[in-house]
Amino acid sequence: MSADPLHRAGTPQRLPTSPPTAGPGASAIEVRRSTRRRRTVSAYREGDRTVVLIPARMSEAEEQRWVNVMLDKLAAQESKRVLGDTELAGRAERLSAQYLEGRARPDSVRWVTNQNTRWGSCTPAEGSIRLSHRLQGMPEYVVDYVLLHELAHLLVPGHGPRFWRLLDAYPRTERARGYLEGVVAAERLPHVPGARGQ
């Protein structure tokens, strides 16, 4: 594996970068192509921007695929840091401001260990949101989706069209739902004695 040209002495030669992109709820993404980089792809956070470093020869399709891979990898690394209840409440406030015009204002947001069949719950009358401890360690976009789902219930109690319209603003709704469905499906698989990791 070749060394990262940004960490070598001297100034690395780079092709012009792709302009930073941003969508609703996504931090800016800047792709930097390097003629010195042959095979490796890396990414890091730089303030509110994500920088993805790729070889100059990559096609646009490969670039997009690797950007998605690296965003998921960074999210997984970041999610290993367990959020406390105070951080969870702050995150809920930011998500409400970003996707629900600040209209969802919970009185309490906390982790609980007694929810093993649901990812989260909301009691609108009390303004309380509880997230299952099973979400800890999952990618941030998944935790954000469940939190936003419960915030939306402060505004719309059921799962009708009005509720789902609120979640349409979150760009990773379908991906997060697919991730959670995969976790549930994996839990239902039969236990095979002697299987790897057992």
Side-chain angles (χ1 to χ4, degrees):
M1 192 180 292
S2 60
D4 184 346
L6 291 183
H7 295 114
R8 289 189 192 137
T11 307
Q13 291 181 329
R14 279 196 319 225
L15 294 180
T17 62
S18 298
T21 58
S27 63
I29 299 165
E30 179 180 345
V31 177
R32 296 181 185 167
R33 291 175 171 264
S34 170
T35 56
R36 291 175 134 181
R37 189 174 281 269
R38 298 285 179 232
R39 292 184 303 268
T40 61
V41 176
S42 62
Y44 61 91
R45 304 282 192 211
E46 190 175 79
D48 64 348
R49 163 189 320 248
T50 301
V51 178
V52 181
L53 308 166
I54 65 171
R57 62 175 173 70
M58 274 192 182
S59 68
E60 292 294 321
E62 287 175 310
E63 173 184 319
Q64 190 55 53
R65 183 177 74 81
W66 276 105
V67 165
N68 289 333
V69 166
M70 298 312 288
L71 288 175
D72 286 346
K73 191 172 184 178
L74 283 174
Q77 289 168 353
E78 291 164 352
S79 70
K80 288 180 181 166
R81 185 179 68 84
V82 175
L83 300 173
D85 289 347
T86 303
E87 291 170 302
L88 201 57
R91 195 174 201 145
E93 187 177 330
R94 285 190 302 278
L95 288 167
S96 176
Q98 191 168 5
Y99 298 107
L100 303 172
E101 300 170 350
R103 293 179 296 139
R105 296 187 186 106
D107 291 323
S108 70
V109 181
R110 61 192 175 91
W111 295 108
V112 294
T113 56
N114 63 350
Q115 290 190 90
N116 293 316
T117 58
R118 44 175 37 183
W119 299 112
S121 61
C122 172
T123 307
E126 297 173 4
S128 64
I129 290 175
R130 295 158 307 281
L131 295 190
S132 172
H133 71 288
R134 296 184 309 139
L135 288 165
Q136 293 174 337
M138 289 189 188
E140 283 187 4
Y141 74 91
V142 175
V143 176
D144 284 353
Y145 163 73
V146 175
L147 193 47
L148 190 60
H149 183 108
E150 301 309 330
L151 285 165
H153 278 310
L154 291 175
L155 306 174
V156 179
H159 288 105
R162 203 170 131 236
F163 173 83
W164 291 111
R165 275 195 299 275
L166 289 175
L167 291 180
D168 281 345
Y170 185 61
R172 296 187 124 189
T173 290
E174 289 306 314
R175 189 171 194 165
R177 289 182 72 192
Y179 184 99
L180 293 170
E181 287 169 8
V183 169
V184 170
E187 289 171 351
R188 291 181 181 152
L189 291 174
H191 171 74
V192 179
R196 282 174 48 183
Q198 299 296 326

